[in-house]
Tab-separated table of all heavy atoms in Angstrom:
chain	number	residue	atom	x	y	z
A	170	VAL	N	49.080	-114.127	-106.275
A	170	VAL	CA	47.635	-114.174	-106.072
A	170	VAL	C	47.379	-114.419	-104.588
A	170	VAL	O	48.113	-115.189	-103.954
A	170	VAL	CB	46.995	-115.316	-106.896
A	170	VAL	CG1	45.485	-115.343	-106.701
A	170	VAL	CG2	47.353	-115.192	-108.365
A	171	LEU	N	46.347	-113.791	-104.036
A	171	LEU	CA	45.988	-114.019	-102.638
A	171	LEU	C	44.538	-114.483	-102.553
A	171	LEU	O	43.698	-114.087	-103.361
A	171	LEU	CB	46.159	-112.731	-101.824
A	171	LEU	CG	47.568	-112.134	-101.769
A	171	LEU	CD1	47.556	-110.826	-100.986
A	171	LEU	CD2	48.557	-113.117	-101.144
A	172	MET	N	44.265	-115.314	-101.526
A	172	MET	CA	42.917	-115.843	-101.344
A	172	MET	C	42.445	-115.582	-99.917
A	172	MET	O	42.447	-116.482	-99.070
A	172	MET	CB	42.900	-117.343	-101.659
A	172	MET	CG	43.456	-117.675	-103.041
A	172	MET	SD	43.386	-119.423	-103.484
A	172	MET	CE	41.670	-119.589	-103.896
A	173	PRO	N	42.043	-114.334	-99.621
A	173	PRO	CA	41.554	-114.034	-98.270
A	173	PRO	C	40.188	-114.653	-98.001
A	173	PRO	O	39.376	-114.785	-98.917
A	173	PRO	CB	41.473	-112.505	-98.277
A	173	PRO	CG	41.243	-112.149	-99.707
A	173	PRO	CD	42.024	-113.165	-100.504
A	174	TRP	N	39.955	-115.011	-96.739
A	174	TRP	CA	38.671	-115.625	-96.405
A	174	TRP	C	37.580	-114.562	-96.304
A	174	TRP	O	37.840	-113.402	-95.985
A	174	TRP	CB	38.759	-116.457	-95.140
A	174	TRP	CG	38.984	-115.709	-93.835
A	174	TRP	CD1	39.132	-114.368	-93.663
A	174	TRP	CD2	39.072	-116.298	-92.544
A	174	TRP	NE1	39.320	-114.085	-92.336
A	174	TRP	CE2	39.277	-115.228	-91.625
A	174	TRP	CE3	38.993	-117.594	-92.060
A	174	TRP	CZ2	39.416	-115.460	-90.247
A	174	TRP	CZ3	39.124	-117.813	-90.691
A	174	TRP	CH2	39.329	-116.766	-89.808
A	175	GLY	N	36.338	-115.004	-96.599
A	175	GLY	CA	35.193	-114.156	-96.320
A	175	GLY	C	34.798	-114.339	-94.872
A	175	GLY	O	34.487	-113.391	-94.147
A	176	SER	N	34.812	-115.593	-94.437
A	176	SER	CA	34.586	-116.001	-93.057
A	176	SER	C	35.109	-117.442	-92.960
A	176	SER	O	35.516	-118.022	-93.965
A	176	SER	CB	33.100	-115.902	-92.696
A	176	SER	OG	32.295	-116.552	-93.650
A	177	PRO	N	35.142	-118.039	-91.757
A	177	PRO	CA	35.724	-119.377	-91.640
A	177	PRO	C	35.095	-120.421	-92.573
A	177	PRO	O	33.912	-120.354	-92.908
A	177	PRO	CB	35.470	-119.716	-90.164
A	177	PRO	CG	35.517	-118.391	-89.484
A	177	PRO	CD	34.837	-117.442	-90.452
A	178	ILE	N	35.909	-121.369	-92.973
A	178	ILE	CA	35.522	-122.400	-93.936
A	178	ILE	C	34.230	-123.109	-93.512
A	178	ILE	O	34.097	-123.544	-92.370
A	178	ILE	CB	36.653	-123.446	-94.071
A	178	ILE	CG1	37.892	-122.802	-94.687
A	178	ILE	CG2	36.202	-124.634	-94.930
A	178	ILE	CD1	39.111	-123.710	-94.700
A	179	GLY	N	33.306	-123.214	-94.431
A	179	GLY	CA	32.103	-124.004	-94.203
A	179	GLY	C	31.036	-123.347	-93.355
A	179	GLY	O	30.007	-123.957	-93.071
A	180	THR	N	31.237	-122.079	-92.956
A	180	THR	CA	30.250	-121.432	-92.089
A	180	THR	C	29.090	-120.823	-92.870
A	180	THR	O	27.985	-120.669	-92.331
A	180	THR	CB	30.902	-120.314	-91.249
A	180	THR	OG1	31.447	-119.320	-92.129
A	180	THR	CG2	32.020	-120.875	-90.369
A	181	GLY	N	29.329	-120.410	-94.088
A	181	GLY	CA	28.277	-119.778	-94.878
A	181	GLY	C	27.874	-118.406	-94.363
A	181	GLY	O	26.788	-117.912	-94.663
Side-chain angles (χ1 to χ4, degrees):
V170 181
L171 299 177
M172 306 183 77
W174 68 359
S176 50
I178 294 173
T180 61

